[in-house]
Amino acid sequence: MAIILGIESSCDDTSASICIDGKICSNIIANQAIHQKYGGVIPELASRVHQQNIIPAVHQAIADAKIHKNDIDAVAFTRGPGLLGSLIVGTSFAKAFALANNLPLIEVNHMQAHILAHFIDNMPSFPFICLTVSGGHTQIVLVRDYFDMEVVGQTTDDAAGEAFDKTAKLLGLPYPGGPLIDKYAKEGNKFAFQFPEPQIPGLDFSFSGLKTSIMYFVRDRVKDDPDFLQNNLADVCASVQERIISILLNKLKKAATQFDINNIAIAGGVSANSGLRAALNQVAVELNWNVFIPKFEYCTDNAAMIAIAGYYKFLNKDFVGQDVAPMARMKF
Ligand code: KG4
Ligand code: ZN
């Protein structure tokens, strides 16, 4: 039997999870509401709140899994990528817990963990292509095995989640704006306004031009009609969301053709978007894809994905020493 404690603290969610033999038995997430009033994550505040939340989150994860602290066999933690001050809290906690309890330590790459979240309730067959879309990253990843992953396309500027969040800010919505755009888009007409699709070669992405065009669009419309946003919020949200989805899916189709793979997954915070999930299911029918869409709770940041990644590393005895340090930028 293998019991893994997973710790996630890369951005603004403090999370702890217990995985027993590949099954997630608890997944506690403490969100940080403090950032809402600033319109984005303030790194210094995030690390302080992680300090407050981490021990209660771990206690709760252990209690919910109905185990005892001494039953744990290994500690897996997010080493990176992420905010350094946030990562230091989770890494230091994991190291201290492992040292005090004489347990092996397992480092986990946050972006790989988003992909491995698919193995919590499902077993996608290798190879598959995963579109990983979060607040900091947008990647097309060729997944050959659990830890044999290659980034074959990525954003050259903003991430897809950033495109959602920055658009929301322009529309006067609070942080994080992605879920709110999703909500308003459901009531809007996605063909009401046209936003440009960037022409980026290969499998790479760009979202900064879209952000600029939305900024000018809002400025011009509000100049003509000060109530424009109030009266057209749902249509603007639906139209922007439609464009972001088409950018993502067009590249995904290109990747599927290029690698001749029809096992397709999505992961990361933006994979919670209901429009993207519906559009992907539709493309799956048209192109005969097997699609893998994570449960909502495993899309945005969580420690269950760290614990499951840790479980697969535990089986390989892939451990790190006490000299491990977090990495704000971390490649696969
Ligand atoms: O994976 P994640 O929780 O954190 C990072 O690793 O960055 O992703 C957070 C991002 C934010 O940009 C948030 O606005 C976006 O995911 N997001 C969404 C939705 N839920 C979260 N974007 C669009 N629609 C959603 N429903
Ligand atoms: Zn993430």
Side-chain angles (χ1 to χ4, degrees), residues 8 10 110-111 114 134-135 268-269 299-302 305:
E8 156 64 29
S10 65
H110 181 86
M111 300 310 294
H114 269 302
S134 70
C299 291
T300 45
D301 288 349
N302 65 86
M305 68 187 197

Side-chain angles (χ1 to χ4, degrees), residues 4 19 22-24 113 116-120 147 303-313:
I4 314 294
C19 173
K23 193 172 162 290
I24 296 301
L116 293 172
H118 281 285
F119 292 88
I120 292 174
F147 299 101
M305 68 187 197
I306 306 303
I308 193 87
Y311 170 70
Y312 285 106
K313 285 201 163 186

Side-chain angles (χ1 to χ4, degrees), residues 54 106 170 205 246 278:
I54 195 150
I106 301 170
L170 289 170
F205 300 89
S246 79

